[in-house]
Amino acid sequence: MSVTSNIVRDPWPPLPYQEFAATQYLLHMSLQVLGKLKLKGPFQPQWAEVPLWLSGRGLTTGPIPYAGGAYEVTADFISHEVGCATSWGFSGHFELGPMSVAEFAGHLFDLLRNAGVNASINLMPQEVPHPIAFDEDKERRPYESLLVNNWWRILLSTQRVMQVFHGRFKGKTPPIGLMWGTLDIRDARYNGRSASPGAEADYIRRNAMNEEQMEVGWWSGSSAYPRPAFYSFTYPQPDGIESARASPSVSRWDSAMGEFLFDYDDLRNSSDPDGDLLLFFESTYKAGAERAGWDPGLVGSGTPV
């Protein structure tokens, strides 16, 4: 079976965490380097400007303003290369493969210099345990291209279902995108009421959790939860949310993670994965919104919730 045929036939491909973990590290740190380029743009509430956007071949920064024009950096997970294109006509790329994070960062900034872009970023990773500066992270890491392609295809399928969920909400909801700090695709809903993340919150959290919200998303696993899963939480956490029943029946409240979880492999075993994922998003939104006293009118009429 050809790769193209497999992509068409399996929108929810396998992604075993133990096989993906080492590649995921390189992918995560590399996408943080890309994502940090976007921090030069104007701040938008709850970091709405910083996600990487999905494309028909991978991920993109979208246009980044520069010197009266714009440049864009893309990660192509079909041909497995990183490209840069500018409004003044430059186009170039380098190949993705086994390398260190430091090598990736070096290749990227060489490419940007060739494009005429003088860019700089904070070289420390964000939102990860035991961070190593990108330019000092010199251990060679694997890059399993098939698993990276599977990971990206799961993002595409998740976004497809999220777009239905997203369109049913009448309140503020920023565009769906990949949050490169935590390497998850998310859709967030806000009810318009202020919230306080607390005096001990860091700069990222102070600007992310300053309004009441409900978020759903997917991530590919971590050492703390070593399997890919969909998640859902309401913030601040309403009383009694842990006793709410989520759907489908294989989803559940996880007390250690403090959120609802729906394991990806359970979705792959479903006869209606898209329908079950939408049901998970809707049932957990309802559980949180009712307990937190959200306005029922925030959800469009005629929807299941």
Side-chain angles (χ1 to χ4, degrees):
M1 180 182 293
S2 70
V3 171
T4 301
S5 175
N6 186 52
I7 290 172
V8 172
R9 290 170 62 89
D10 191 358
W12 299 106
L15 193 71
Y17 174 76
Q18 298 299 338
E19 295 179 25
F20 184 54
T23 292
Q24 177 180 271
Y25 179 88
L26 175 62
L27 181 67
H28 188 183
M29 294 301 97
S30 299
L31 292 177
Q32 286 216 8
V33 176
L34 287 189
K36 281 172 175 274
L37 295 170
K38 302 189 69 174
L39 294 174
K40 297 296 184 181
F43 175 78
Q44 296 179 25
Q46 289 82 46
W47 304 105
E49 83 284 8
V50 302
L52 295 170
W53 313 120
L54 270 71
S55 74
R57 294 184 67 91
L59 292 165
T60 176
T61 61
I64 300 173
Y66 186 82
Y71 71 97
E72 180 177 10
V73 180
T74 57
D76 187 318
F77 298 135
I78 295 176
S79 59
H80 298 283
E81 61 187 29
V82 169
C84 177
T86 73
S87 60
W88 50 92
F90 174 86
S91 179
H93 71 273
F94 66 87
E95 293 183 1
L96 289 169
M99 65 180 74
S100 70
V101 176
E103 286 179 284
F104 176 90
H107 291 325
L108 177 64
F109 284 99
D110 285 345
L111 178 63
L112 292 175
R113 280 189 290 271
N114 290 338
V117 175
N118 181 19
S120 62
I121 62 170
N122 178 340
L123 292 172
M124 287 302 295
Q126 311 298 136
E127 301 183 274
V128 295
H130 316 299
I132 304 170
F134 301 130
D135 60 339
E136 297 177 3
D137 194 343
K138 298 181 179 180
E139 180 180 341
R140 186 174 175 84
R141 310 281 181 172
Y143 182 89
E144 297 292 342
S145 59
L146 177 60
L147 293 179
V148 172
N149 183 270
N150 284 2
W151 172 83
W152 165 68
R153 284 155 51 205
I154 297 167
L155 295 181
L156 283 180
S157 292
T158 301
Q159 179 174 260
R160 180 182 64 248
V161 178
M162 280 183 172
Q163 286 171 332
V164 178
F165 180 71
H166 183 93
R168 293 174 173 175
F169 191 67
K170 296 180 179 179
K172 184 177 79 172
T173 180
I176 298 165
L178 181 82
M179 304 304 289
W180 42 264
T182 45
L183 202 67
D184 57 331
I185 184 172
R186 66 94 177 93
D187 185 27
R189 294 175 166 186
Y190 298 88
N191 67 10
R193 298 196 297 248
S194 297
S196 174
E200 302 302 316
D202 61 18
Y203 181 77
I204 293 174
R205 188 172 177 84
R206 288 199 307 272
N207 287 282
M209 313 299 283
N210 55 5
E211 293 186 29
E212 294 189 10
Q213 65 181 268
M214 186 271 181
E215 181 175 313
V216 298
W218 176 82
W219 88 108
S220 46
S222 67
S223 57
Y225 195 85
R227 52 191 182 273
F230 302 94
Y231 67 83
S232 172
F233 66 83
T234 303
Y235 172 83
Q237 183 176 310
D239 292 340
I241 189 72
E242 65 277 2
S243 63
R245 185 179 299 274
S247 295
S249 59
V250 290
S251 61
R252 69 201 185 282
W253 176 263
D254 188 286
S255 57
M257 302 294 288
E259 54 194 8
F260 291 105
L261 295 179
F262 179 15
D263 285 348
Y264 176 65
D265 286 343
D266 287 333
L267 175 125
R268 293 193 72 236
N269 290 328
S270 168
S271 60
D272 180 15
D274 285 35
D276 276 354
L277 182 55
L278 184 58
L279 184 60
F280 174 71
F281 292 161
E282 291 178 332
S283 67
T284 55
Y285 170 80
K286 182 177 181 180
E290 288 181 348
R291 286 163 177 79
W294 284 38
D295 178 2
L298 288 172
V299 177
S301 60
T303 66
V305 296

